[in-house]
Amino acid sequence: MVLDRQGYDDLIMYLTQNLALFEKSGEIKPGAPTIMELIEDDIAENVMLLCQQHTELSTEQRSQIVREVDGIVYDLQEVLSSVTSNQVTIEQHAFIDEFAALVKNLFDSAVVESA
């Protein structure tokens, strides 16, 4: 659905261009989640929103989305493996929020194109 598209390649390039955010320290709010917890939560929220907005999705399409999202989270885990258990900084939090929204946008576009 999206993993084999140019948009996903662009998204991974965007991540690599911003890896420096994960290599430096920054301000951490009290009780901040780990980087991996935030990635999982943000992406899950966006997938749920996607499914709520596209009620016409079949069970097969929803399953495909979940499989691909699992692949995306795995890719993020691989790229960020050395820092995933660190608490997220304010800057990292903003980037992860934006990244998760971009993932949703990729799926939104793919759903609209397949309709």
Short mmCIF file of all heavy atoms in Angstrom, two decimals, residues 36 68 73 75 79 107:
data_model
loop_
_atom_site.label_atom_id
_atom_site.label_comp_id
_atom_site.label_asym_id
_atom_site.label_seq_id
_atom_site.Cartn_x
_atom_site.Cartn_y
_atom_site.Cartn_z
N MET A 36 10.52 4.90 22.15
CA MET A 36 9.75 3.82 21.52
C MET A 36 8.29 3.86 21.96
O MET A 36 7.40 3.63 21.14
CB MET A 36 10.38 2.47 21.85
CG MET A 36 9.95 1.38 20.92
SD MET A 36 10.54 1.72 19.25
CE MET A 36 9.12 1.27 18.30
N GLU A 68 1.63 -3.06 7.41
CA GLU A 68 2.61 -2.09 6.94
C GLU A 68 3.05 -1.15 8.07
O GLU A 68 4.21 -0.78 8.14
CB GLU A 68 2.07 -1.31 5.74
CG GLU A 68 1.98 -2.20 4.51
CD GLU A 68 1.91 -1.44 3.21
OE1 GLU A 68 2.11 -0.21 3.19
OE2 GLU A 68 1.66 -2.10 2.18
N VAL A 73 7.09 0.74 12.07
CA VAL A 73 7.57 0.81 13.46
C VAL A 73 8.85 0.00 13.60
O VAL A 73 9.80 0.43 14.27
CB VAL A 73 6.47 0.33 14.45
CG1 VAL A 73 7.03 0.18 15.86
CG2 VAL A 73 5.30 1.30 14.44
N ASP A 75 11.08 -0.52 11.25
CA ASP A 75 12.13 0.29 10.62
C ASP A 75 12.62 1.38 11.57
O ASP A 75 13.82 1.61 11.71
CB ASP A 75 11.64 0.93 9.32
CG ASP A 75 11.46 -0.08 8.19
OD1 ASP A 75 11.92 -1.23 8.31
OD2 ASP A 75 10.83 0.30 7.17
N VAL A 79 16.42 1.87 13.09
CA VAL A 79 17.20 3.10 12.88
C VAL A 79 17.55 3.75 14.21
O VAL A 79 18.66 4.27 14.39
CB VAL A 79 16.43 4.09 11.97
CG1 VAL A 79 17.11 5.44 11.93
CG2 VAL A 79 16.27 3.52 10.57
N PHE A 107 -0.89 6.99 4.20
CA PHE A 107 -2.00 6.03 4.10
C PHE A 107 -3.27 6.71 3.61
O PHE A 107 -4.01 6.11 2.83
CB PHE A 107 -2.22 5.32 5.44
CG PHE A 107 -1.22 4.22 5.69
CD1 PHE A 107 -0.14 4.44 6.53
CD2 PHE A 107 -1.33 3.00 5.07
CE1 PHE A 107 0.80 3.46 6.75
CE2 PHE A 107 -0.40 2.00 5.28
CZ PHE A 107 0.67 2.23 6.14
#
